[in-house]
Amino acid sequence: MDGTSPRRVTARSEPWMLHDVAASRAAETHALGGSEAHALMQRAGTSVAKLALAIGPHARHVRVMAGPGNNGGDGLVAARWLWRAGRSVDVVLWADPARLAGDAQWALEQARASGVHIHDRPDARPVDLYLDALLGLGTSRPVEGSLAEAIMLMNRAAAPLLAVDLPSGLDSDTGNASAAAVRATHTLALLSLKPGLFTAMGRDLAGQVWFDDLGLPPEDATACARLTGLAEIGRGERPHASHKGRFGDVAVVGGSPGMSGAAWLAARAALAAGAGRVYASLLDEAAPLLLPARPELMGSARVWLEPPERLQDLTIVCGCGGGTSVAAALPPLLAHAARLVLDADALNAIAGDAALQQQLMRRSMRGRCSVLTPHPLEAARLLGTSSAEVQADRLGAARTLAERFSAVVVLKGSGTVIAAPQCLPAINPSGNAALASAGTGDVLAGWIAGHWSAEGGPAGDIRCAVNAALTSVWRHGRAADRHVERGRQGPLTASDLIDAMGDTSSDGLRDEG
């Protein structure tokens, strides 16, 4: 089989541009206009067949579930190639053959002429590999009726499942899914990579993502986001002639009564990420300003009351375990801290106080950078909406927060989104549910601050803040990926996560796809 070949998309791949439905359809229209009749579908189907043979080399019987549009046509072309390659193949066509149009009708005729068996309902033969070619980009409303039946049949099967372009039922732009949605083991995105594959429900439904631009990649200028790649992750290399003052000071403000552990976790992470010195300033005044197991960390009482010129020298993390008492520390920090990472209870306090919101909005006009690290509920409070609405459009919510508060936003969750004003947002491809453990968010906030401090650069340069966020989020997720790759079960505890994030610096080789 000639043509291009699929490439595997992983957290260690190159950065990729992501295109929404509108841009993907425009790219398809442009590609069709510059190609011979049926050439684009021929390329797409050939690529699907190549990947099917690679992931199911011993599959004796392959079943293609084909829908009514071009996605179904791609599946029909793949079936023809698999038949020619000596596989037993049948196609279940969940559409009226007489209503197929254009390339899809041509693909049906070619498959029939080649001898591929085509049915309107599946028979009882055992299936070793399924191809989902039902909908692709065609999902614009909940999947119902016979197509929902087809999806349930595939999901109940034990066989591997390769989705063509998108798992049927998955929203290309948002990663939300219909009640009936394919749960694939592999997905081959064609012509463009779609953001919905990498955030919200996308990671769970798409399985391992592959990509083939069919030799006709869409323009980068039309991208709606990008997928973070290893090439843009900071290596953390230090000049030999360095001293601790070169890497800056970080102060962690948090740790209300009963929550001092959150502040110490953030402090540990900041030091491990590269900060020269790290201070913990606890809101619980009865708590000791010393962590005996980590004597390299220092205590500093009420750092938020330090003179403005001292606050301007610090990178500050505020909110980790802060409770309601963190609100009193926020006004001077918002006014004077040159670099400020706001997490957890600090975000909740700002969401409930219009004056604090105004202070946050004014920081960028005074040459001061802020990084916000909300989970969906905290983001919803800041936006005055619900977490369900945030999750319904994670890219849109992160962009709105970034523009509203003139800040870098790290919207945590499956496919963490990093957004900044007037910048193309990024989706992080690393991480898994091993991070669903108490304290891992505190570690991320501290690591961002430590990396930001160590890298230096102008305090008001938002690019430095974005780079710190991208690198920290990627390492945070990559540590969890390694945890799973090593066969470990259960969550990755926050204390172990700090050491594991340091180990990710050895991830220097890219996957070869």
Side-chain angles (χ1 to χ4, degrees):
M1 287 178 276
D2 297 327
T4 55
S5 296
R7 291 172 288 169
R8 191 156 61 107
V9 179
T10 75
R12 298 175 66 218
S13 300
E14 63 193 89
W16 301 91
M17 289 298 175
L18 304 176
H19 294 79
D20 59 19
V21 168
S24 296
R25 292 203 186 282
E28 183 178 14
T29 299
H30 178 74
L32 286 169
S35 303
E36 296 180 4
H38 319 306
L40 190 63
M41 184 166 287
Q42 182 83 313
R43 289 182 194 175
T46 301
S47 186
V48 172
K50 282 182 181 179
L51 185 55
L53 291 170
I55 65 178
H58 305 297
R60 291 165 294 180
H61 184 73
V62 181
R63 175 163 290 160
V64 180
M65 305 289 255
N70 284 342
N71 195 247
D74 295 341
L76 285 160
V77 173
R80 175 161 55 90
W81 279 113
L82 291 168
W83 179 266
R84 289 181 177 179
R87 298 297 189 271
S88 171
V89 184
D90 75 323
V91 175
V92 183
L93 184 60
W94 298 80
D96 181 354
R99 299 185 65 181
L100 295 185
D103 285 351
Q105 182 63 47
W106 167 84
L108 176 62
E109 293 168 0
Q110 292 290 308
R112 281 175 169 162
S114 296
V116 175
H117 300 293
I118 298 172
H119 317 280
D120 60 1
R121 282 293 182 271
D123 58 29
R125 277 182 292 177
V127 177
D128 302 303
L129 176 65
Y130 272 101
L131 300 189
D132 163 32
L134 290 173
L135 291 172
L137 277 176
T139 306
S140 58
R141 57 183 182 273
V143 182
E144 300 172 341
S146 62
L147 291 177
E149 177 189 346
I151 288 171
M152 287 188 288
L153 286 170
M154 286 189 283
N155 285 346
R156 288 173 185 160
L161 199 166
L162 170 59
V164 179
D165 205 28
L166 282 167
S168 293
L170 179 70
D171 187 287
S172 168
D173 291 354
T174 67
N176 291 301
S178 172
V182 161
R183 186 174 292 271
T185 53
H186 297 263
T187 296
L188 174 57
L190 296 166
L191 199 60
S192 66
L193 270 177
K194 290 79 178 173
L197 292 168
F198 303 102
T199 195
M201 293 296 295
R203 293 278 299 277
D204 288 317
L205 296 180
Q208 173 60 60
V209 176
W210 302 75
F211 178 49
D212 191 340
D213 64 15
L214 307 179
L216 298 163
E219 296 289 335
D220 286 354
T222 65
C224 66
R226 75 182 191 279
L227 193 69
T228 305
L230 183 59
E232 58 188 329
I233 300 305
R235 304 300 303 156
E237 296 173 351
R238 296 185 169 205
H240 190 275
S242 297
H243 57 85
K244 63 180 179 289
R246 154 71 178 79
F247 304 108
D249 293 351
V250 171
V252 178
V253 176
S256 61
M259 295 294 291
S260 60
W264 288 117
L265 282 169
R268 278 190 57 201
L271 194 64
R277 290 172 293 206
V278 178
Y279 302 88
S281 188
L282 302 181
L283 294 161
D284 181 1
E285 296 185 1
L289 290 176
L290 175 68
L291 189 64
R294 296 286 176 177
E296 61 271 25
L297 300 174
M298 297 171 280
S300 180
R302 299 187 180 184
V303 72
W304 57 93
L305 298 181
E306 293 280 348
E309 55 271 19
R310 172 59 176 154
L311 295 180
Q312 290 166 11
D313 288 337
L314 294 170
T315 301
I316 293 178
V317 187
C318 181
C320 303
T324 56
S325 55
V326 75
L330 279 167
L333 298 180
L334 289 166
H336 303 299
R339 299 183 180 95
L340 182 59
V341 179
L342 296 165
D343 184 51
D345 290 319
L347 297 174
N348 291 330
I350 290 169
D353 189 321
L356 293 178
Q357 292 176 36
Q358 288 298 318
Q359 271 196 284
L360 176 56
M361 292 175 189
R362 288 194 295 266
R363 280 179 52 76
S364 67
M365 293 185 289
R366 298 159 66 187
R368 295 177 170 85
C369 276
S370 312
V371 176
L372 318 184
T373 60
H375 57 52
L377 181 56
E378 290 159 353
R381 289 169 179 152
L382 288 166
L383 291 170
T385 184
S386 68
S387 57
E389 288 179 282
V390 168
Q391 290 294 82
D393 184 4
R394 288 172 52 77
L395 273 170
R399 283 192 299 256
T400 300
L401 275 174
E403 296 294 342
R404 180 174 298 181
F405 293 108
S406 298
V408 178
V409 171
V410 175
L411 178 56
K412 295 181 287 193
S414 179
T416 291
V417 179
I418 300 95
Q422 299 179 349
C423 293
L424 190 69
I427 297 178
N428 179 64
S430 65
N432 57 64
L435 292 171
S437 176
T440 57
D442 304 310
V443 169
L444 177 60
W447 198 282
I448 292 171
H451 184 90
W452 195 4
S453 175
E455 288 299 302
D461 189 347
I462 200 165
R463 292 171 299 179
C464 296
V466 169
N467 290 337
L470 288 173
T471 296
S472 302
V473 171
W474 186 91
R475 292 198 183 286
H476 192 252
R478 180 62 188 145
D481 290 341
R482 283 186 159 197
H483 178 79
V484 171
E485 288 165 6
R486 292 167 179 168
R488 294 172 183 167
Q489 303 295 317
L492 178 56
T493 65
S495 292
D496 291 340
L497 173 61
I498 296 170
D499 294 331
M501 287 179 71
D503 289 343
T504 62
S505 61
S506 64
D507 269 357
L509 298 176
R510 291 171 180 76
D511 288 344
E512 294 184 357

